[in-house]
C-alpha cells in the first residue's frame, strides 16, 4: 500500500507534471506535422518518461521528428520545446542541477536545429540524419558518463583498476 501511495505522490510532483506537459507538447507537435499514428509515439514517450527513462524518450522523440518529412518551424519548435521541458524536469531533481541543466539547455536545441536544417533547407536523407543524431547522442552520453565518473571519484590514477569503467 505504501508503494502505491509513493507512486501516486511522485506522479503529482511538480517536476513530473512539467515533464508530462513537455511530452504532451512534443506529441502534439508530432501529430501536427505528420500522420496521426505519431500520436502512438507520444504515448510511448509518456511511458518511457514515467518509467524513468527520460533520455530514451528524448531520443525516440528526436527520431520521430526525423520521420516527419521536412517539418515546418512551428511543429519543430513544439517538439523540441516539449522534449526540452521533459529533460529539464529530470535535471531539476538531481543534486548538481546547474551542470545538468546547462547540458540540456545546450544539447536539445542543438540537436533540434541540426535536424531541422538537415531535413528542411539542406534536404538530406532522413536515414543519414537519424544515424548522425544517434551518433551525436551516443557521444554526448559517453562524455556525460566520463564526466560523472571523474566527478564522483570512481576513476583513479591506476589505469588497470579502471578498465571496468572505460
Amino acid at each position: 500500500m505504501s508503494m502505491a501511495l509513493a507512486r501516486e505522490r511522485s506522479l503529482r510532483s511538480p517536476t513530473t507534471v512539467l515533464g508530462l506537459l513537455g511530452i504532451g507538447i512534443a506529441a502534439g507537435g508530432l501529430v501536427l506535422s505528420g500522420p496521426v499514428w505519431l500520436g502512438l509515439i507520444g504515448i510511448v514517450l509518456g511511458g518511457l518518461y514515467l518509467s524513468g527513462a527520460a533520455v530514451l524518450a528524448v531520443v525516440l522523440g528526436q527520431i520521430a521528428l526525423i520521420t516527419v518529412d521536412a517539418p515546418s518551424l512551428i511543429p519543430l519548435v513544439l517538439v523540441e520545446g516539449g522534449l526540452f521541458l521533459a529533460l529539464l524536469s529530470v535535471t531539476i531533481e538531481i543534486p548538481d542541477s546547474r551542470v545538468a541543466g546547462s547540458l540540456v539547455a545546450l544539447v536539445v536545441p542543438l540537436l533540434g536545429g541540426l535536424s531541422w536544417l538537415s531535413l528542411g533547407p539542406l534536404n538530406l536523407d532522413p536515414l543519414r540524419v537519424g544515424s548522425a543524431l544517434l551518433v551525436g547522442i551516443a557521444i554526448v552520453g559517453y562524455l556525460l558518463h566520463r564526466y560523472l565518473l571523474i566527478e564522483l571519484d570512481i576513476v583513479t590514477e591506476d589505469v588497470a583498476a579502471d578498465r571496468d569503467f572505460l
Side-chain angles (χ1 to χ4, degrees), residues 121-143:
L122 298 179
N123 200 15
L124 298 177
D125 182 29
L127 183 61
R128 289 183 182 179
V129 174
S131 53
L133 276 176
L134 285 177
V135 168
I137 290 171
I139 289 171
V140 168
Y142 178 73
L143 291 175

Side-chain angles (χ1 to χ4, degrees), residues 2-155:
S2 65
M3 191 71 150
L5 185 61
R7 182 165 174 82
E8 183 179 338
R9 263 191 246 133
S10 68
L11 288 176
R12 291 184 181 182
S13 72
T15 55
T16 304
V17 171
L18 178 68
L20 288 177
L21 176 69
I23 293 293
I25 291 171
L30 287 173
V31 171
L32 180 67
S33 63
V36 178
W37 63 266
L38 283 173
L40 295 174
I41 298 293
I43 294 171
V44 172
L45 291 176
L48 283 172
Y49 179 80
L50 287 176
S51 69
V55 174
L56 290 178
V58 171
V59 169
L60 181 63
Q62 294 286 343
I63 293 171
L65 181 64
I66 289 176
T67 63
V68 175
D69 207 17
S72 63
L73 189 58
I74 292 173
L76 177 78
V77 168
L78 287 175
V79 172
E80 291 299 328
L83 295 176
F84 177 76
L85 285 177
L87 265 184
L88 192 63
S89 71
V90 174
T91 59
I92 292 171
E93 295 177 343
I94 62 175
D96 194 5
S97 60
R98 284 190 329 210
V99 173
S102 301
L103 182 67
V104 167
L106 290 174
V107 169
V108 172
L110 176 69
L111 291 177
L114 287 176
S115 61
W116 181 73
L117 277 175
S118 58
L119 292 175
L122 298 179
N123 200 15
L124 298 177
D125 182 29
L127 183 61
R128 289 183 182 179
V129 174
S131 53
L133 276 176
L134 285 177
V135 168
I137 290 171
I139 289 171
V140 168
Y142 178 73
L143 291 175
L144 182 62
H145 163 75
R146 291 298 297 169
Y147 170 76
L148 289 174
L149 287 177
I150 292 169
E151 186 69 27
L152 296 173
D153 289 331
I154 294 174
V155 177

